Amino acid sequence: MCGIVGYIGCEQAGPFLLDGLERLEYRGYDSAGVCLNTGSELFVKKAKGKLKVLKDLTENGKTLHGTVGIGHTRWATHGEPSDVNAHPHLSESGRFAVVHNGIIENYQQLKDYLTSKGIAFRSETDTEVIAQLIEYYYKGDLVDTVIKVLEKLEGSYALGVISKDNPDEIIAVRKESPLIIGLGENENYLASDVTAILSRTKTILRLENNEIAILGRDGVKIITTDKDEVHKDTETVEWDVSAAEKGGYEHFMFKEIMEQPTAIAETISPRIRNGRVVLDEIKLSDEELKQFTKINILACGSAYHVGVVAKYIFEKMLRIPVEADLASEFRYRDPIINDKTLTIVISQSGETADTKEAMKEAQRRGSHVISIVNVVGSAIACESDDVIYTWAGPEIAVATTKAYSTQLAVIYLMALYFGEKLGTVVPEEYTALVNELEMLPAKIEKVLENKAKIQYLASKYFNSRDIFFIGRNIDYALSLEGSLKLKEISYIHSEAYAAGELKHGTISLIEKGTPVIALVTHEELIGKMVSNIEEVKTRGAQVMCIACDDHPEMEQVGQTIFIPKVCDMLLPSLAVIPLQLFAYYVASLKGCDIDKPRNLAKSVTVE
Ligand code: G6P
């Protein structure tokens, strides 16, 4: 969480800083700020609220002066969102400015020490201690000082530092939190994520933990904390700048929902060759694969919900016990896991703190980790044993849609790949499933075409206080995602329930008019689901169903959105589309800030 940008060049830095921050706003949006070296001072402008406030105050950065500067968009951890707690933070005399993403765990101790030396703090943040420490230790060399300060810091950080006395340098360093350098002509950039700099350059350098970058106008030098120079190869980013723009859509979320057929095709197609699933990314031999007695899936948020779907699919197709675990819980429960356990880690950003630490815990216990990640070169991608990328392109809306769908697509590929190797999927079934998988993008297009009906149903329910989602088996796993999507962007209270569990408590919440969304796609369980639907209808619920089009009779049970019939494994990819659209339309009718829901951030880099 929190986004960092930096610019050093020959142009005015302001417009780039503001534009870059706008593209990073998904990382946090409770306040924002910039600091530029004007030649005579470090000039800081900060504002509580979304970036728009700062943009308006600075006329999109045009009123700012200076060709070197840093900027920050914040998701508050230490200290409420306010002008004073917004970054950049200045040292006491105003000679040094710092932007920070991460958490300094020993900040209170450092603050107490500096306070005892007579240094006055302005903010409640952990970050301000870094600026104050730099000034406290400064003896004329900024790089040496930053290295000394790093020795004092515990926790995670990506930092950008500028000094009043040196208008020709930005110092950047990272530990655990992401940071990349963009290379231009006579100008260079700093950013938490490539989306911030795509409009300027596609040539980047990735900073590793504890590497220090010294950005000048004519070049970038990277050194270790022992001041040894590090020579790195540049990378060329493949994402196109238009992929990180709205392209005429009102919201990124809607654009990303509509992009799902393409994103899934790009994730699947290169991995199906001559009717076979080929996952070159997995380095395990067939013998090693056969050794595993358990699969462990670790993730947070929607990625965890993919894990819950995967549990049903893998157990059915591979006949191996699967545990889907919330990464934040797994870390602290002394899990039973060893080298006979295959761990699958799922993360769009590849930098979620809990997921990353859970992965390391699994590795420490001897488990082989395969990650499913969207952001190329992210920490989880680099530190896992094997990585399978989802080719979803940049996802900007906080509520994930296309990343969720492409993660599901990778799960299908893995189920087929492992199923073939373990001999648990018979050849005819394998061929049929691969064929169906290849047709999935076209079927998703069909579901998307039905959006008017979903919009109509959203208009009926958008004033509701509570909305329940029910399902059995994979439909239950999917109902978790439907409910999360709705509550995170529309702020309507929602719960997802295994339909068979309703009678054990939740049904007491159903009253006249309560909307219940029932997922009824699983052929074998339609009868059971219809009984559960009748139970809630009897108590006054209004029921909306999602069912396959080979069961037109479902229209008599509740207002029904039909999806094309496909094999069980692929059903979640079709059924999730109406759930995403429903949440989107409800939030839109309520006038919510769909792409930036309150209190949330897309990239959760703190525990
Ligand atoms: C946040 C996002 C979710 C995402 C979760 C895990 O809560 O808003 O959309 O599912 O983090 O993020 P990851 O990047 O690890 O998939």
Side-chain angles (χ1 to χ4, degrees):
M1 6 204 42
C2 299
I4 289 178
V5 289
Y7 173 87
I8 181 160
C10 303
E11 289 176 13
Q12 293 298 316
F16 167 76
L17 294 178
L18 272 289
D19 180 67
L21 287 178
E22 187 166 26
R23 295 171 194 273
L24 292 182
E25 228 189 338
Y26 71 86
R27 303 179 69 87
Y29 35 82
D30 58 44
S31 53
V34 288
C35 177
L36 291 89
N37 190 327
T38 64
S40 58
E41 62 165 344
L42 291 182
F43 176 79
V44 174
K45 195 82 190 165
K46 316 200 266 194
K48 178 181 166 182
K50 300 228 165 83
L51 186 72
K52 180 156 189 334
V53 183
L54 187 68
K55 286 180 80 177
D56 290 348
L57 279 175
T58 61
E59 292 179 22
N60 293 331
K62 288 195 208 90
T63 61
L64 300 165
H65 299 291
T67 56
V68 53
I70 50 180
H72 187 271
T73 180
R74 180 169 186 244
W75 189 89
T77 56
H78 296 64
E80 59 168 14
S82 66
D83 287 1
V84 72
N85 287 332
H87 301 212
H89 289 285
L90 288 177
S91 61
E92 198 173 28
S93 73
R95 277 174 87 186
F96 303 100
V98 172
V99 284
H100 167 218
N101 170 26
I103 289 187
I104 304 304
E105 285 160 8
N106 59 337
Y107 88 101
Q108 191 61 52
Q109 207 181 318
L110 296 167
K111 189 169 179 177
D112 292 347
Y113 174 75
L114 292 168
T115 309
S116 75
K117 299 287 173 194
I119 293 166
F121 280 75
R122 300 181 188 91
S123 78
E124 301 157 288
T125 64
D126 53 339
T127 304
E128 193 182 347
V129 296
I130 305 171
Q132 303 289 20
L133 279 172
I134 292 174
E135 183 160 304
Y136 182 72
Y137 286 117
Y138 187 68
K139 296 227 168 36
D141 186 313
L142 186 55
V143 174
D144 285 347
T145 313
V146 168
I147 292 173
K148 187 166 179 72
V149 169
L150 295 181
E151 286 166 15
K152 311 279 170 204
L153 303 180
E154 286 169 21
S156 59
Y157 44 80
L159 299 174
V161 182
I162 56 172
S163 143
K164 184 181 122 190
D165 305 327
N166 191 350
D168 301 318
E169 231 169 58
I170 302 177
I171 310 289
V173 59
R174 64 159 288 217
K175 184 177 153 222
E176 303 302 341
S177 303
L179 205 54
I180 56 117
I181 313 286
L183 302 175
E185 286 215 358
N186 302 320
E187 55 187 12
N188 293 302
Y189 312 88
L190 180 68
S192 299
D193 173 12
V194 291
T195 47
I197 57 164
L198 273 182
S199 63
R200 301 289 192 110
T201 179
K202 289 185 162 193
T203 311
I204 65 157
L205 290 171
R206 277 181 207 283
L207 274 193
E208 301 298 327
N209 277 342
N210 301 313
E211 286 178 348
I212 300 168
I214 305 155
L215 287 80
R217 289 181 176 76
D218 299 329
V220 176
K221 185 173 170 189
I222 298 179
I223 57 169
T224 64
T225 47
D226 296 324
K227 294 182 81 176
D228 295 327
E229 191 159 351
V230 182
H231 296 281
K232 279 180 178 278
D233 291 335
T234 58
E235 275 177 51
T236 305
V237 182
E238 291 190 6
W239 286 351
D240 191 73
V241 66
S242 63
E245 287 172 349
K246 279 191 201 153
Y249 288 98
E250 198 181 343
H251 297 104
F252 277 110
M253 182 178 177
F254 194 71
K255 176 181 178 239
E256 289 161 5
I257 289 173
M258 301 308 282
E259 282 172 349
Q260 289 178 108
T262 313
I264 290 175
E266 293 195 348
T267 301
I268 293 174
S269 307
R271 293 165 173 139
I272 299 181
R273 293 178 218 149
N274 303 322
R276 307 227 82 73
V277 173
V278 182
L279 291 178
D280 293 330
E281 300 93 329
I282 298 180
K283 308 286 182 322
L284 295 163
S285 67
D286 292 5
E287 281 322 301
E288 283 170 316
L289 262 182
K290 286 178 188 151
Q291 300 295 312
F292 295 120
T293 54
K294 187 178 141 192
I295 297 176
N296 206 45
I297 304 178
L298 304 173
C300 298
S302 295
Y304 164 73
H305 294 159
V306 171
V308 183
V309 173
K311 175 182 166 68
Y312 287 99
I313 293 176
F314 286 160
E315 287 192 340
K316 186 163 182 212
M317 288 178 61
L318 309 180
R319 307 311 298 155
I320 293 180
V322 180
E323 254 185 283
D325 243 315
L326 289 165
S328 53
E329 286 297 309
F330 172 87
R331 292 178 60 185
Y332 300 111
R333 68 169 171 78
D334 196 7
I336 301 168
I337 171 172
N338 53 35
D339 60 353
K340 297 278 175 296
T341 312
L342 174 66
T343 296
I344 299 173
V345 165
I346 310 174
S347 175
Q348 185 283 130
S349 62
E351 59 174 89
T352 303
D354 280 316
T355 309
K356 192 168 67 181
E357 291 308 316
M359 173 179 84
K360 289 184 189 163
E361 184 60 37
Q363 285 172 321
R364 266 194 293 276
R365 291 170 187 248
S367 181
H368 184 95
V369 175
I370 302 175
S371 66
I372 302 173
V373 175
N374 193 42
V375 177
V376 173
S378 55
I380 292 173
C382 294
E383 291 169 37
S384 54
D385 299 300
D386 302 325
V387 53
I388 304 180
Y389 284 115
T390 49
W391 298 117
E395 191 180 61
I396 312 288
V398 165
T400 178
T401 51
K402 63 176 180 171
Y404 174 92
S405 286
T406 51
Q407 287 161 357
L408 274 184
V410 172
I411 294 298
Y412 306 149
L413 291 168
M414 288 175 98
L416 287 163
Y417 179 82
F418 291 151
E420 189 190 30
K421 302 232 173 254
L422 300 176
T424 52
V425 181
V426 295
E428 304 76 56
E429 189 191 4
Y430 179 91
T431 306
L433 288 172
V434 171
N435 286 342
E436 283 214 59
L437 184 53
E438 287 188 293
M439 289 187 302
L440 189 59
K443 299 235 164 112
I444 292 176
E445 291 280 9
K446 281 204 104 41
V447 183
L448 288 168
E449 280 165 17
N450 203 6
K451 54 187 180 301
K453 182 162 185 193
I454 301 161
Q455 192 170 17
Y456 163 72
L457 290 172
S459 73
K460 280 188 66 183
Y461 295 132
F462 80 99
N463 272 324
S464 306
R465 191 191 58 189
D466 314 287
I467 298 184
F468 293 88
F469 289 75
I470 58 172
R472 286 170 177 260
N473 198 283
I474 292 188
D475 281 340
Y476 164 60
L478 198 56
S479 70
L480 296 170
E481 178 61 5
S483 171
L484 175 65
K485 217 73 319 176
L486 182 74
K487 69 186 133 200
E488 67 182 340
I489 61 169
S490 75
Y491 316 140
I492 293 176
H493 166 250
S494 172
E495 286 184 41
Y497 255 81
E501 187 67 15
L502 265 183
K503 290 188 279 293
H504 300 288
T506 312
I507 203 161
S508 66
L509 299 172
I510 305 292
E511 48 191 42
K512 192 163 186 316
T514 306
V516 174
I517 298 181
L519 291 145
V520 201
T521 70
H522 211 74
E523 183 74 38
E524 291 157 37
L525 293 166
I526 292 178
K528 301 274 177 229
M529 276 304 296
V530 169
S531 304
N532 296 137
I533 292 169
E534 292 306 330
E535 288 160 9
V536 291
K537 275 167 67 178
T538 308
R539 274 116 192 137
Q542 301 184 64
V543 175
M544 175 178 134
C545 301
I546 295 173
C548 293
D549 56 9
D550 60 341
H551 284 280
E553 75 283 2
M554 285 305 299
E555 194 67 84
Q556 315 308 316
V557 180
Q559 285 178 302
T560 302
I561 302 288
F562 289 106
I563 58 171
K565 174 73 185 160
V566 285
C567 62
D568 283 357
M569 177 177 87
L570 301 181
L571 281 168
S573 289
L574 300 185
V576 77
I577 306 291
L579 302 180
Q580 296 167 342
L581 285 168
F582 181 76
Y584 174 81
Y585 286 127
V586 167
S588 166
L589 287 161
K590 289 189 72 186
C592 298
D593 190 346
I594 294 179
D595 286 337
K596 296 182 206 109
R598 71 179 175 219
N599 304 338
L600 297 177
K602 187 162 189 67
S603 192
V604 183
T605 53
V606 295
E607 294 177 29

